[in-house]
Amino acid sequence: MDPVLAAAVAGDAQPDVPFRAKPGHVHQTWAKTFASRPELYVQPESLAEVEKITRLAAKCRRRVTTTGSGHSPSSLTCTSSWLVNLDRYNRILSLDEATGVVVMQSGIRLYQLCEWLDHRGFAMPNLGSINEQSIAGVISTGTHGSSLRHGLVSEDILALRVTLADGSTRYCSAQDNPDLFRASLLSLGAIGIITEVTFRAVPAYTLAWQQVVDTDRSMLTRWEKADLWTHAEFVRVWWFPYTRRAVTWSASKTTEPRRDPPTSYYDGRLGYYVYHNLLYLGQYVPQILPWVEWFVFGMQYGFKNGTTSAAVQQGTKALLMNCLYSQFVNEWAIPLAKGPEFLRRMSSWLNQLRPEDPDYVPHGIPFSAEGLYVHAPIEVRVSDTSAENPLREKVVANPGEASRPFLDPTCTDGPTLYLNATLYRPYHADPPCRERYYEAFEWLMRDMGGRPHWAKNFDCTSREIEAMYGADLAAWRKVRDEADPGGMFVGPWHRHHVLPADNTAMLACEEIELGSEKLWSGGVMVEQAVPGARR
């Protein structure tokens, strides 16, 4: 053990509290997009252990980064200092069956929570596309589902306990410590360690869902007639730019008996490996990607427009989808009304349409798409956190300003559209189209007043984020600086994206400079190969 750490452990005020740390752990994101080798990997099992971690880190001048499943494809959870994983801090503490209020430790994964609730007749009101994340990770990065009747998953969080850099644990809610609550509801891991979550569950429900394949023109027509996103409680769309088609998935609560979705010989391992190998071939012959889009998604969803499939499933199961492969994910939020314009402009650019084409619109993107072929689809989802949303009142009371995260990327004056440009990494190989595609995608998003999803692979400097969030970012920074004046919970990702550009606050602790092979130790750069530098 490091002598400084050994002395700190020996001198700790609670010597009987374990410090469950081990060296040599290699941390990587689920998609293997980023990796790092922390000095220590710590898995606490009690609140006293979490508080001890922060006390020791302060004495040893070490950074603390918290992680759950690592499902975010960004470098947010990468560190060469101390990495705290909360998988063993995952118990349900109480359930009030009269109100559905659940109190839990923050490391519980969503699939564990959903299973526990289902056995007791309850469910999460809203869910994203996966359930592998921890509840703390979902809160910290602004996870959302796809429904105009719901906002972020965190809208159902009633209270939190957060362990701060001084080793104390604070309770916060919309009524108690509201600024800390708003900052922690989307903390990016930079406020402290969320240790306890009070959550509002709802009675368990069943969803009847339907999936329809049609032209993107038909989908956009329905959108502009204003019923696409309101005809069911949950709606999401996958848009396929080369084939000019869209798959619309919608689900509503029902009392019908459950019925499994249809399956075919292509489902499962056959389809998985066919698609994976075609994507890998596209790394070398990208011109085949439009054909891959036509073939793979025709096999999956149907080649004929109007093809429909349906099922009736447990609610929190119906909302899930398979992420399939390692991937980069670049997702932004814009006002819902701007969605058709975005898709038409992106289609004109990607397909290099000419003015004589009936679907041509001037896209304005100042980068050429010549020779560029991308993976599909673009995932299209919605939410509505605005106070005036009439649909939301039927499901959950509108949250007050004291419950809205400072860094909430959604629109305050109307519904929000999320557009997600996924790029697969077949056999963990980066797609050659990534740089130019994301450059164009982000240019168009900025042109339309968009904000990036915090957990995804976006490229914005802190000055750009300042322009997007203004006073809300300033308020978040103020809470963050008061809670962690020494910078224990901030790293390179935070300094690049959300801290002031002239910020110099930094612990004298080890840091990996992602994107290079440099190890910072005690403020001195040591040249050496670092397993876990950005690939």
Side-chain angles (χ1 to χ4, degrees):
M1 184 182 292
D2 176 82
V4 175
L5 175 59
V9 171
D12 186 71
Q14 293 181 290
D16 294 335
V17 175
F19 180 61
R20 305 176 197 272
K22 64 178 182 180
H25 177 83
V26 175
H27 167 70
Q28 57 188 4
T29 60
W30 170 84
K32 296 182 172 60
T33 45
F34 292 92
S36 62
R37 178 173 290 169
E39 178 189 19
L40 290 178
Y41 181 69
V42 195
Q43 288 190 298
E45 298 180 11
S46 67
L47 176 60
E49 291 179 49
V50 174
E51 293 175 337
K52 182 168 186 169
I53 289 167
T54 58
R55 291 197 305 271
L56 294 178
K59 291 179 181 178
C60 298
R61 299 193 60 78
R62 290 296 191 265
R63 267 200 67 219
V64 173
T65 299
T66 310
T67 188
S69 67
H71 208 279
S72 170
S74 78
S75 61
L76 179 60
T77 59
C78 288
T79 183
S80 62
S81 197
W82 292 5
L83 184 65
V84 177
N85 173 268
L86 298 175
D87 281 351
R88 296 180 183 174
Y89 190 69
N90 62 353
R91 292 189 297 113
I92 302 290
L93 302 177
S94 67
L95 167 64
D96 185 332
E97 295 193 1
T99 62
V101 173
V102 189
V103 182
M104 69 198 83
Q105 293 176 334
S106 60
I108 191 167
R109 301 287 187 93
L110 296 190
Y111 69 85
Q112 296 171 326
L113 174 59
C114 289
E115 182 179 352
W116 191 93
L117 290 173
D118 186 60
H119 287 322
R120 291 155 180 82
F122 289 91
M124 295 182 66
N126 188 20
L127 197 63
S129 298
I130 58 171
N131 62 1
E132 292 292 327
Q133 314 103 309
S134 67
I135 189 69
V138 165
I139 296 167
S140 298
T141 54
T143 296
H144 61 90
S146 188
S147 172
L148 288 183
R149 303 190 189 188
H150 300 275
L152 302 182
V153 172
S154 63
E155 75 178 1
D156 294 295
I157 304 300
L158 303 178
L160 297 170
R161 291 189 189 276
V162 186
T163 299
L164 304 181
D166 63 3
S168 66
T169 299
R170 307 281 180 85
Y171 175 87
C172 58
S173 68
Q175 295 75 38
D176 299 295
N177 245 332
D179 284 349
L180 179 61
F181 186 59
R182 293 183 67 189
S184 299
L185 278 177
L186 212 162
S187 70
L188 304 173
I191 305 294
I193 301 176
I194 295 173
T195 52
E196 185 179 288
V197 178
T198 302
F199 180 81
R200 173 176 40 213
V202 298
Y205 52 91
T206 298
L207 289 178
W209 61 260
Q210 177 177 269
Q211 188 166 267
V212 181
V213 180
D214 210 338
T215 64
D216 62 359
R217 187 179 296 178
S218 296
M219 180 269 293
L220 290 170
T221 298
R222 187 176 185 186
W223 189 330
E224 290 168 333
K225 288 182 178 178
D227 77 324
L228 174 65
W229 300 106
T230 57
H231 73 279
E233 182 172 341
F234 300 95
V235 184
R236 60 187 175 214
V237 171
W238 291 274
W239 175 59
F240 302 91
Y242 294 126
T243 58
R244 310 294 296 280
R245 299 207 300 170
V247 175
T248 301
W249 183 94
S250 56
S252 295
K253 294 184 175 74
T254 184
T255 57
E256 295 178 49
R258 293 180 183 177
R259 183 176 72 254
D260 289 334
T263 58
S264 72
Y265 73 94
Y266 183 77
D267 291 319
R269 294 177 67 87
L270 175 63
Y272 177 89
Y273 285 109
V274 166
Y275 188 26
H276 205 173
N277 285 292
L278 287 174
L279 287 171
Y280 190 70
L281 180 60
Q283 299 285 95
Y284 303 97
V285 191
Q287 295 88 339
I288 71 167
L289 289 176
W291 175 85
V292 171
E293 177 185 306
W294 170 83
F295 173 74
V296 169
F297 293 101
M299 293 293 291
Q300 186 70 31
Y301 299 109
F303 289 97
K304 184 179 179 181
N305 291 333
T307 301
T308 302
S309 58
V312 181
Q313 293 181 293
Q314 174 189 348
T316 50
K317 181 178 180 180
L319 294 171
L320 303 179
M321 60 174 288
N322 192 337
C323 287
L324 290 177
Y325 316 113
S326 171
Q327 57 195 251
F328 290 113
V329 186
N330 200 341
E331 182 176 27
W332 287 56
I334 60 174
L336 179 61
K338 294 185 177 182
E341 178 189 349
F342 175 90
L343 294 180
R344 290 189 174 106
R345 291 174 68 180
M346 181 57 70
S347 179
S348 283
W349 182 76
L350 274 177
N351 290 298
Q352 300 183 68
L353 300 184
R354 298 187 177 187
E356 57 268 24
D357 188 292
D359 291 321
Y360 169 82
V361 297
H363 55 74
I365 298 173
F367 316 109
S368 172
E370 184 177 356
L372 181 74
Y373 298 93
V374 306
H375 304 160
I378 286 181
E379 186 181 30
V380 186
R381 295 182 289 170
V382 294
S383 73
D384 195 342
T385 61
S386 62
E388 295 77 19
N389 178 12
L391 292 175
R392 188 187 191 144
E393 294 171 357
K394 301 173 185 177
V395 179
V396 59
N398 286 313
E401 188 67 15
S403 295
R404 184 182 179 89
F406 287 122
L407 299 185
D408 187 340
T410 58
C411 304
T412 58
D413 56 356
T416 299
L417 179 72
Y418 299 93
L419 292 147
N420 178 350
T422 297
L423 287 176
Y424 296 117
R425 304 177 65 244
Y427 298 104
H428 302 119
D430 291 354
C433 61
R434 178 192 175 200
E435 184 175 351
R436 186 155 38 125
Y437 180 38
Y438 279 177
E439 185 177 38
F441 179 81
E442 292 193 357
W443 184 93
L444 186 51
M445 281 298 182
R446 289 182 177 93
D447 190 56
M448 302 189 75
R451 291 175 169 181
H453 188 306
W454 291 108
K456 306 303 173 65
N457 298 109
F458 65 93
D459 185 17
C460 291
T461 66
S462 60
R463 292 194 187 280
E464 291 175 301
I465 297 296
E466 284 172 359
M468 294 174 186
Y469 284 88
D472 283 337
L473 179 60
W476 181 87
R477 287 173 172 173
K478 181 176 184 293
V479 175
R480 204 225 69 76
D481 291 347
E482 291 173 352
D484 177 26
M488 178 184 292
F489 296 106
V490 300
W493 188 96
H494 302 99
R495 288 193 290 275
H496 178 70
H497 292 297
V498 292
L499 296 186
D502 58 353
N503 180 272
T504 57
M506 180 177 179
L507 284 175
C509 64
E510 296 182 13
E511 287 294 349
I512 285 180
E513 278 294 312
L514 298 171
S516 65
E517 293 187 344
K518 298 174 182 176
L519 177 67
W520 288 88
S521 178
V524 179
M525 187 179 72
V526 181
E527 295 286 347
Q528 68 177 68
V530 180
R534 180 174 172 178
R535 302 180 182 187

